[in-house]
Amino acid sequence: MYEFDFVKPSSVAEAVAALGEEEAQALGGGQTLIPTLKQRLASPSKLVSLGGIADMQGLRLDGADLNIGGATTHGTVAAEAAGSYPALAVLAGHIGDPAVRNRGTIGGSLANNDPAACYPAAALASGATIVTNAREIAADDYFDGLFTTALEEGEIITGVRFPVPEVANYQKFLQPASRFALVGVFVAKYADGVRVAVTGASEEGVFRWTEAEAALSGNFSADALDGLTVAADGMMADIHGTKAYRAHLVGVLAKRAVAASA
Amino acid sequence: MPKDSGIGASPKRREDNRFLTGTGNYTDDINLRGQAYVHFLRSDMAHGRITSIDTSAAAAMPGVVQIFTGADFEGVGGIPCGWQITDKHGEVMQEPAHPVLAQGKVRYVGDAIAAVVAETAEQARDAAEAIELDLEELPAVVDMKAALQEGSAKVHDDLTSNLCYDWGFVEENKPAVEEAFAKAAHVTTLELVNNRLIANPMEPRVAVGDFNRATGDSTLYTTSQNPHVIRLLMGAFVLGIPEHKLRVIAPDVGGGFGTKIFHYAEEAFCTFAAKALNRAVKWTSSRSEAFITDAHGRDHVTTIQLALDGDNNFTALRTDTHANMGAYLSTFAPSVPTWLHGTLMAGNYKTPLIYVNVKAVFTNTVPVDAYRGAGRPEATFQLERVIDKAARELGVDPIALRRQNFITEFPYATPVAVEYDTGDYHATMDKLEEIADLKGFAARRAASEAEGKVRGLGVNCYIEACGIAPSNLVGQLGARAGLYESATVRVNATGGLVVMTGSHSHGQGHETSFPQVIAEMIGIDESMVEIVHGDTANTPMGMGTYGSRSLAVGGSAMVRATEKIIAKAKKIAAHLMEAAEADIELKDGAFSVAGTDKSVAWGDVTLAAYVPHNYPLEDIEPGLEETAFYDPANFTYPSGAYACEVELDPDTGKVSIARFAAADDFGNIVNPMIVDGQVHGGIGQGIGQALLEAAVYDDDGQLLSASYMDYAMPRADDLPFYQVDHSCQTPCTHNPLGVKGCGEAGAIGSPPAVVNAVVDALQSMGREVTHVDMPLSPSRVWQAMQG
Ligand SMILES: Cc1cc2nc3c(=O)[nH]c(=O)nc-3n(C[C@H](O)[C@H](O)[C@H](O)COP(=O)(O)OP(=O)(O)OC[C@H]3O[C@@H](n4cnc5c(N)ncnc54)[C@H](O)[C@@H]3O)c2cc1C
């Protein structure tokens, strides 16, 4: 690690002000950022912890929407969304290990937008809204490829608003070493249609599988996906899986997700 | 009835008290007054020429004490290799220089170029980043077969090629083997890869060098499995420090698995720098550094062929292996694919003719050396895989084919130069069939099928050779060391004992099991015995722990020393009881005179030895302390039979281990609980190799699996509950305890069981798959299913 200053403001406004400084960076749970600092791959001059901002903590059910504060940990979501949005709670409960879940936050995960992360699939499949200090961004407009998002420099995710689906399910196929998603598929059924989001697979990051959505919106059963495939072209390939394998898993996991939620 | 003390009992491991309560004393816990820290600047290029290195800006950074480069080590020795192989033409192997810091060229990602010593570890790292370095990139040599082609770039410019040696074994057998193949009724051929592994002990390597200006003595604290070996190699070959001026201490060591046997450059550097700077110098490897500097294991590419006659008897075997040495020869690297591999190719079978060819190859990768099993897993894997393939080709039961070819008479001289003293392979197979409940397999397969899963069964045998010896033989085979072990047993005046052993415990439990042996011999409580190890200043010259040798060799030395103690104590007891020495019996911690009710307690005798008022001073010396060096007459040959059941998800190719059974013959058992633990751990590592682990390099020599994000270690939920049994016991005939060694068996025996099971599952689905290379990742298995 290089040396840096550390501040822990108690309001969003103070945090935004602190982040206005040259080379200041937000710190969520630090589960991605701290290892990066330890490897000296980043050198912020100041870390602005979001952990002391009460407004960014916790879950709140407002009618059909579940609002989650941007600094809420995976562990809290796993425990507290179990009644309101069980598929999301299960997803959060299978991120990393207990230490990661007790520190890592939903805002950090969405800001980081790791192509193998879980939350992006949930946000995109739920048609969630990313709420920042400055604006509201629809999930469809938010994810922008690998590790890139619509966030501006210094912009903070203060919360995420999830429309709660009728049924939903997340299927995560573990990358054997990291246990991130080698492929993850999140299926969510709403009154006005089904949304399917895929993480871990594409070279472009998390994406919606629109053919599957169309098929499932007409007939919400695993059979509706028979014969549908995603193209291997454009999938990621690494030592854990080829493009063809990832494309194949998308189909298998989508069916499983539908079967598990139907 | 299970015993509650002595040989055969399972007392809880006393060392776990400190390991589990955070009170161990590991090398990184050692901090010396005024110590400085070193950070190594390492190559991020696999192969390159150092065109310039400018340390002036870095040297001016805060806290920097001194920066060392290769130039500072001109005239200092290089890291030696401990084994010289003579090839099939009678030529000795090519042995490149191995400097402490790179000179002229870098040869793998991780090769140390410069060492910055500073007041703090962070300052050292900061300064290392300020070193101005120019590397001219050279083509990386990664693929072993390409490395041997004419015109390949050379890892070492001064060698004639990238071939370290071309070993033929037994060269004289070759024509007869060829002839047997020509006459065979059936030949099975299999090409396979034994995947490169990284040991990943929980504790990364650490070295602390110290120098005492007043006495001129150097001390090295290091994470080693064999401090005496390090003292000899480093003192005599690298730094020129005689042993009496050099002390090496390996305190608590958090796992070794082979990778802490070897003498590493960082150890030599810290010792050298401590003297040069007259202050202690410490290096603690980061986990990232461990991936690119700890010696890797395995990495063989093999073609094996088995010849059978019309009655399915094995008539001949030949195997052709490329073994990766990496960029330099690590301490025992040359011995692994040769004497620890070729000599095991007979396995449990009476194949009369065997020929083994091994080409050892230099590449621009981390040096490769012994890893749990070392050579024997590579031998077992190919042999048990080719037998399985043969059974499937011939349509015969794989177990029946094995049984038909078992060696049944002992001692048995194999065609690959070793003689098995004892074994009973039918007995272990019988036991396996029982504990694995092979009869129930069909029902379990049906149950899996009902859940949409495909179940496969894999069975195999293994033989291993532990406690490699005797020294005069291994010397002829090229070892530059002896392979005895030592022990000093010191009895204190009030009867307690301290055993100073040359063995080293880094998780194996010697502090518990060794006292059990002494307690049994004398008839006293185990708590009266303490084990001291790991410090060259207070243990006799010993060779350390690897190759499952501690109890078989180190334990035997301890028995020999204790026998000397008992013999002397009997003399003293005879004097005290005014009886003839021949009439003295030792039982339950008391000496008695046969046929009388006269007796003296163990403590009376030990007290007399140190307070010799009533003592035969004219016949024997006071005191009660004896040393023994034990050089075994032969290896020991543990053996066993393993069975694995896998469940395969036909949609994703994911393999889970449903059941795993191991029936081992380790000879006599001192602590059954510890043996269970060794087998469990070994199987865990074997399953890791089979399903998960792989060190993967890209074509440029970059390690792609350089962290736990990509190197998959086995975790608890990857592993099943095991059925293990070691009730089949054919004691070793040539060591006093009749023990064989159990540390590596699990890692040797389990990979072929897993792969055999997966192939069985795939074939049961109608796929014509005969082999899948490890690790059997979901992606690979799915690919194999696509046909
Ligand atoms: C061992 C391990 C296993 C893991 N497994 C998984 C897994 O299976 N699935 C998965 O999805 N993830 C996994 N993760 C990642 C984990 O979920 C991280 O917690 C997450 O990616 C980052 O969240 P964080 O709060 O820790 O963010 P930090 O590490 O603190 O920050 C990450 C980035 O986001 C920025 N940031 C943080 N919070 C905000 C905010 N509110 N607004 C704007 N920017 C912000 C930071 O500036 C930084 O750039 C794993 C991590 C580890 C260490």
Side-chain angles (χ1 to χ4, degrees):
Chain A
M1 258 186 221
Y2 298 106
E3 283 188 11
F4 54 82
D5 292 331
F6 179 80
V7 291
K8 193 171 182 182
S10 53
S11 74
V12 172
E14 283 167 23
V16 170
L19 285 169
E21 280 172 42
E22 191 94 0
E23 290 181 30
Q25 188 170 5
L27 176 70
Q31 297 305 291
T32 298
L33 186 50
I34 301 286
T36 313
L37 296 179
K38 281 170 129 179
Q39 289 181 63
R40 298 186 159 205
L41 297 174
S43 53
S45 57
K46 178 183 271 189
L47 286 188
V48 181
S49 168
L50 307 177
I53 304 172
D55 287 350
M56 286 178 60
Q57 293 291 343
L59 289 75
R60 207 178 61 240
L61 195 59
D62 285 332
D65 290 340
L66 177 65
N67 289 290
I68 302 180
T72 309
T73 64
H74 311 328
T76 301
V77 174
E80 295 182 14
S84 52
Y85 194 165
L88 190 67
V90 171
L91 174 147
H94 287 85
I95 293 176
D97 49 46
V100 169
R101 293 195 287 276
N102 285 330
R103 303 281 326 166
T105 65
I106 188 168
S109 177
L110 291 174
N112 194 49
N113 192 20
D114 187 307
C118 302
Y119 267 129
L124 193 57
S126 307
T129 301
I130 317 298
V131 182
T132 77
N133 57 297
R135 56 186 168 142
E136 298 199 343
I137 312 169
D140 282 319
D141 302 325
Y142 174 81
F143 299 104
D144 201 17
L146 312 189
F147 299 103
T148 22
T149 69
L151 289 181
E152 300 287 340
E153 195 77 22
E155 191 171 0
I156 299 173
I157 298 177
T158 54
V160 189
R161 190 163 69 238
F162 287 92
V164 176
E166 291 169 4
V167 288
N169 185 266
Y170 177 59
Q171 292 287 322
K172 176 184 185 183
F173 193 84
L174 299 181
Q175 193 260 53
S178 71
R179 295 199 169 185
F180 274 65
L182 185 68
V183 174
V185 177
F186 200 107
V187 172
K189 180 174 183 294
Y190 292 89
D192 58 352
V194 176
R195 291 171 67 106
V196 179
V198 180
T199 188
S202 165
E203 284 173 340
E204 312 271 287
V206 66
F207 71 95
R208 280 173 69 186
W209 187 14
T210 47
E211 292 90 337
E213 291 182 352
L216 291 168
S217 294
N219 170 17
F220 193 67
S221 79
D223 301 342
L225 298 175
D226 280 348
L228 284 189
T229 51
V230 296
D233 231 24
M235 294 288 115
M236 292 191 283
D238 58 21
I239 61 175
H240 307 291
T242 56
K243 289 170 186 275
Y245 183 61
R246 280 191 166 81
H248 168 76
L249 280 183
V250 173
V252 171
L253 299 176
K255 283 191 172 193
R256 288 184 180 179
V258 174
S261 53
Chain B
M1 220 195 67
K3 297 169 71 175
D4 56 14
S5 73
I7 291 176
S10 290
K12 294 246 160 60
R13 302 193 341 157
R14 57 168 81 163
E15 47 270 81
D16 288 346
N17 250 342
R18 62 178 198 279
F19 297 157
L20 297 179
T21 58
T23 49
N25 181 38
Y26 295 90
T27 308
D28 197 45
D29 294 323
I30 291 163
N31 292 300
L32 304 177
R33 193 149 44 118
Q35 94 192 350
Y37 297 81
V38 59
H39 183 88
F40 291 96
L41 175 68
R42 298 190 181 278
S43 176
D44 56 9
M45 206 179 270
H47 193 190
R49 200 172 307 284
I50 302 172
T51 49
S52 77
I53 195 170
D54 180 355
T55 58
S56 51
M61 300 268 292
V64 173
V65 177
Q66 192 165 326
I67 300 179
F68 296 81
T69 64
D72 295 297
F73 283 82
E74 276 163 25
V76 177
I79 305 299
C81 177
W83 204 298
Q84 186 179 54
I85 295 297
T86 302
D87 77 4
K88 66 184 189 188
H89 310 294
E91 306 277 327
V92 297
M93 67 186 190
Q94 296 207 78
E95 195 170 353
H98 186 174
V100 174
L101 293 174
Q103 292 181 350
K105 262 174 62 159
V106 290
R107 296 189 174 84
Y108 63 95
V109 172
D111 209 355
I113 300 167
V116 180
V117 180
E119 299 296 338
T120 71
E122 287 290 306
Q123 287 172 332
R125 192 170 171 185
D126 286 342
E129 286 178 5
I131 293 176
E132 287 171 33
L133 174 70
D134 275 322
L135 290 182
E136 174 199 336
E137 186 152 15
L138 299 169
V141 179
V142 179
D143 179 78
M144 285 193 275
K145 288 182 182 165
L148 295 185
Q149 311 243 294
E150 201 71 39
S152 164
K154 281 196 293 180
V155 178
H156 296 276
D157 300 338
D158 51 341
L159 302 187
T160 57
S161 69
N162 292 317
L163 181 69
C164 177
Y165 55 74
D166 183 354
W167 188 71
F169 182 67
V170 175
E171 199 58 29
E172 298 78 66
N173 289 354
K174 200 177 172 187
V177 171
E178 305 287 318
E179 199 183 317
F181 269 92
K183 285 201 215 134
H186 184 88
V187 173
T188 296
T189 303
L190 182 62
E191 288 180 32
L192 52 83
V193 173
N194 204 291
N195 41 329
R196 181 188 270 246
L197 302 176
I198 303 175
N200 283 300
M202 200 179 289
E203 177 205 32
R205 290 188 297 118
V206 183
V208 187
D210 192 22
F211 180 68
N212 184 326
R213 185 171 47 168
T215 61
D217 291 347
S218 293
T219 302
L220 170 70
Y221 301 84
T222 183
T223 47
S224 175
Q225 301 176 213
N226 31 238
H228 284 281
V229 174
I230 303 303
R231 186 180 66 168
L232 181 62
L233 292 178
M234 183 175 80
F237 297 98
V238 191
L239 301 178
I241 308 173
E243 284 109 308
H244 65 285
K245 302 304 277 179
L246 176 60
R247 177 178 179 187
V248 177
I249 303 173
D252 284 337
V253 173
F257 311 111
T259 201
K260 290 177 183 165
I261 298 171
F262 323 121
H263 175 39
Y264 287 95
E266 294 88 355
E267 297 171 319
F269 177 83
C270 289
T271 311
F272 174 88
K275 188 170 180 179
L277 302 171
N278 188 32
R279 66 189 284 192
V281 173
K282 180 173 192 170
W283 172 71
T284 301
S285 171
S286 70
R287 184 58 70 183
S288 306
E289 227 172 347
F291 272 95
I292 54 167
T293 66
D294 290 3
H296 293 179
R298 316 277 194 262
D299 204 350
H300 287 190
V301 176
T302 294
T303 303
I304 182 169
Q305 293 190 297
L306 177 66
L308 301 96
D309 68 15
D311 298 323
N312 296 341
N313 297 310
F314 303 164
T315 56
L317 185 81
R318 67 181 167 210
T319 155
D320 183 4
T321 286
H322 286 71
N324 206 333
M325 295 286 104
Y328 300 99
L329 290 178
S330 175
T331 308
F332 289 116
S335 68
V336 175
T338 50
W339 299 109
L340 298 178
H341 167 254
T343 51
L344 273 293
M345 284 312 311
N348 310 53
Y349 312 100
K350 50 189 185 217
T351 317
L353 290 162
I354 298 177
Y355 179 71
V356 181
N357 181 221
V358 177
K359 295 183 182 68
V361 186
F362 293 110
T363 59
N364 291 119
T365 62
V366 170
V368 180
D369 205 328
Y371 167 67
R372 201 171 191 170
R376 291 150 288 168
E378 295 90 322
T380 303
F381 184 70
Q382 53 176 302
L383 178 62
E384 293 295 327
R385 284 290 302 122
V386 80
I387 293 172
D388 219 66
K389 188 172 183 225
R392 290 174 186 284
E393 286 172 357
L394 295 164
V396 299
D397 174 46
I399 296 179
L401 181 63
R402 287 180 168 86
R403 283 189 184 269
Q404 171 183 347
N405 286 283
F406 273 163
I407 296 160
T408 52
E409 278 166 32
F410 296 89
Y412 176 82
T414 71
V416 276
V418 291
E419 183 174 287
Y420 302 162
D421 57 345
T422 55
D424 185 343
Y425 307 145
H426 284 292
T428 45
M429 186 58 90
D430 291 345
K431 180 54 78 178
L432 179 78
E433 294 197 22
E434 175 197 325
I435 61 171
D437 182 29
L438 295 190
K439 287 201 185 75
F441 174 71
R444 290 191 294 276
R445 171 171 267 179
S448 297
E449 203 179 322
E451 291 180 10
K453 297 280 168 60
V454 185
R455 193 174 272 251
L457 170 66
V459 171
N460 66 274
C461 299
Y462 77 87
I463 175 95
E464 80 136 321
C466 301
I468 168 169
S471 294
N472 52 7
L473 173 74
V474 298
Q476 288 168 26
L477 306 184
R480 287 161 167 165
L483 282 165
Y484 53 83
E485 198 45 89
S486 64
T488 295
V489 176
R490 175 179 299 161
V491 185
N492 291 324
T494 58
L497 293 92
V498 181
V499 179
M500 285 143 280
T501 170
S503 293
H504 189 279
S505 184
H506 29 280
Q508 294 88 344
H510 299 173
E511 292 169 39
T512 304
S513 56
F514 278 32
Q516 289 180 249
V517 173
I518 298 216
E520 180 85 25
M521 290 178 76
I522 301 178
I524 52 173
D525 199 82
E526 282 138 22
S527 63
M528 291 175 67
V529 187
E530 203 68 30
I531 304 298
V532 171
H533 65 91
D535 183 345
T536 58
N538 59 24
T539 56
M541 171 82 179
M543 299 310 293
T545 288
Y546 41 81
S548 307
R549 70 195 298 275
S550 288
L551 191 61
V553 192
S556 296
M558 178 182 71
V559 168
R560 290 283 187 252
T562 307
E563 285 168 354
K564 293 187 197 178
I565 293 278
I566 291 172
K568 184 171 177 185
K570 280 185 174 173
K571 283 198 170 86
I572 303 168
H575 177 90
L576 291 177
M577 293 186 281
E578 296 174 344
E581 195 190 316
D583 293 337
I584 305 296
E585 290 169 353
L586 170 61
K587 192 166 179 282
D588 295 337
F591 297 90
S592 56
V593 183
T596 75
D597 58 1
K598 274 203 236 175
S599 93
V600 285
W602 168 253
D604 295 330
V605 172
T606 62
L607 190 66
Y610 290 95
V611 187
H613 297 164
N614 174 17
Y615 193 86
L617 283 169
E618 56 291 349
D619 294 332
I620 50 175
E621 297 167 5
L624 205 45
E625 174 167 328
E626 299 287 350
T627 294
F629 283 73
Y630 179 79
D631 204 279
N634 191 355
F635 297 14
T636 66
Y637 298 96
S639 62
Y642 284 18
C644 176
E645 283 180 31
V646 297
E647 254 192 355
L648 193 157
D649 178 344
D651 294 334
T652 63
K654 179 159 169 58
V655 173
S656 347
I657 309 285
R659 289 168 69 88
F660 201 103
D664 294 291
D665 175 359
F666 296 133
N668 294 334
I669 304 281
V670 170
N671 184 316
M673 177 196 71
I674 288 179
V675 171
D676 283 353
Q678 289 290 311
V679 175
H680 288 186
I683 296 173
Q685 280 178 303
I687 291 175
Q689 169 163 32
L691 293 186
L692 296 160
E693 298 182 47
V696 183
Y697 280 95
D698 72 8
D699 294 344
D700 297 327
Q702 294 292 334
L703 183 63
L704 298 178
S705 48
S707 80
Y708 292 132
M709 293 299 278
D710 288 297
Y711 190 92
M713 292 294 283
R715 302 182 212 200
D717 64 357
D718 292 314
L719 305 172
F721 286 92
Y722 309 112
Q723 287 87 43
V724 303
D725 182 282
H726 27 79
S727 62
C728 297
Q729 297 175 359
T730 60
C732 169
T733 55
H734 55 79
N735 67 41
L737 289 166
V739 297
K740 293 183 168 183
C742 67
E744 295 159 295
I748 293 168
S750 53
V754 177
V755 180
N756 289 348
V758 172
V759 170
D760 181 56
L762 290 168
Q763 293 198 356
S764 80
M765 297 169 72
R767 301 293 195 282
E768 282 173 22
V769 175
T770 56
H771 182 68
V772 186
D773 272 325
M774 302 184 289
L776 302 177
S777 63
S779 177
R780 277 200 182 159
V781 173
W782 180 78
Q783 199 60 49
M785 279 164 43
Q786 306 316 300

